[in-house]
Amino acid sequence: MAAGVAGPARLHILRFGPDGHPTSRIPWALRDDTDVLAVGDVVFFPELLSGAGEFEGLSFVVPAAIASVARTDCALALVWSDVEGLVFPQPVITLLRSGPAQCAPATEPAAHAQDDSKLHFDPAVLERQYAPAAAKVLQLQGGLSLADILGSASAVDDFWAAPDIQSPPRHGSRTPPHVTVSNEHVAFVLDIQSCHVEKTWTFAAG
């Protein structure tokens, strides 16, 4: 597992192997003995696009510990954007605030963690880290842009000024399937060696 989050996220286009893939959007444990992926990377799976939304195949590589993926054989995990819009999962915020070397399972209550992330996180970090990869993912889908999705260039500026961040479930509430991070729900391990890395993009800072 190479260290990441040093600059704009790399984007990997992956194709699934013959074993296929699940449709669940809970975090996937990620086995990568080849070090193809690094913490902070973005992974896009074109085969997951069903027509429901442009970000359906978009995922982020984070340490398994902060995604609550309890597997000793998997140091990484994939967490997902929303289907219809660019939404950043809480583990991504934890990663960027703490740095990959300091990421560890949270010990504070989820509600407190949510408030803390929104009060003390600089949204400009998300734009610097992930805007190039997000733009490329849309470009690959018929030349779309974030302005096309949001309606205007000014709407894009408004989005990056206050990006959409997935809220953790409140204590005692029923967790929607796409944000469940409980260990008992981890049902799939993606082995990178079974996939085909179609292309990797590296983006310049600035």
Side-chain angles (χ1 to χ4, degrees):
M1 177 182 63
V5 203
R10 296 184 302 170
L11 171 64
H12 307 273
I13 309 300
L14 260 64
R15 298 281 180 178
F16 295 106
D19 294 336
H21 58 84
T23 56
S24 170
R25 298 184 64 80
I26 63 174
W28 292 1
L30 184 62
R31 183 178 296 120
D32 183 15
D33 296 330
T34 62
D35 281 342
V36 170
L37 304 183
V39 167
D41 286 354
V42 174
V43 180
F44 182 62
F45 298 93
E47 291 155 298
L48 291 180
L49 293 173
S50 68
E54 291 79 11
F55 296 100
E56 193 169 13
L58 185 68
S59 62
F60 306 88
V61 182
V62 299
I66 63 172
S68 299
V69 174
R71 292 188 62 97
T72 58
D73 59 336
C74 296
L76 300 176
L78 292 177
V79 292
W80 299 91
S81 173
D82 193 54
V83 171
E84 298 180 357
L86 181 57
V87 179
F88 294 98
Q90 280 290 328
V92 170
I93 307 306
T94 301
L95 173 66
L96 294 182
R97 289 178 64 219
S98 305
Q102 302 176 40
C103 289
T107 56
E108 57 187 345
H112 180 275
Q114 176 187 0
D115 293 341
D116 189 57
S117 70
K118 293 189 184 242
L119 286 172
H120 301 292
F121 184 74
D122 179 4
V125 176
L126 280 173
E127 182 175 11
R128 290 194 299 269
Q129 186 71 17
Y130 293 113
K136 178 59 71 174
V137 164
L138 290 174
Q139 185 185 46
L140 293 172
Q141 299 178 66
L144 290 172
S145 69
L146 198 53
D148 295 324
I149 302 300
L150 298 178
S152 67
S154 61
V156 174
D157 293 338
D158 291 342
F159 171 82
W160 287 118
D164 290 334
I165 297 173
Q166 238 173 38
S167 297
R170 295 185 178 181
H171 181 69
S173 66
R174 183 181 180 275
T175 306
H178 66 288
V179 297
T180 299
V181 295
S182 175
N183 296 337
E184 64 192 83
H185 294 291
V186 175
F188 182 66
V189 177
L190 179 66
D191 191 333
I192 292 301
Q193 293 190 71
S194 71
C195 297
H196 169 59
V197 181
E198 186 171 282
K199 192 172 179 70
T200 294
W201 277 275
T202 300
F203 304 97

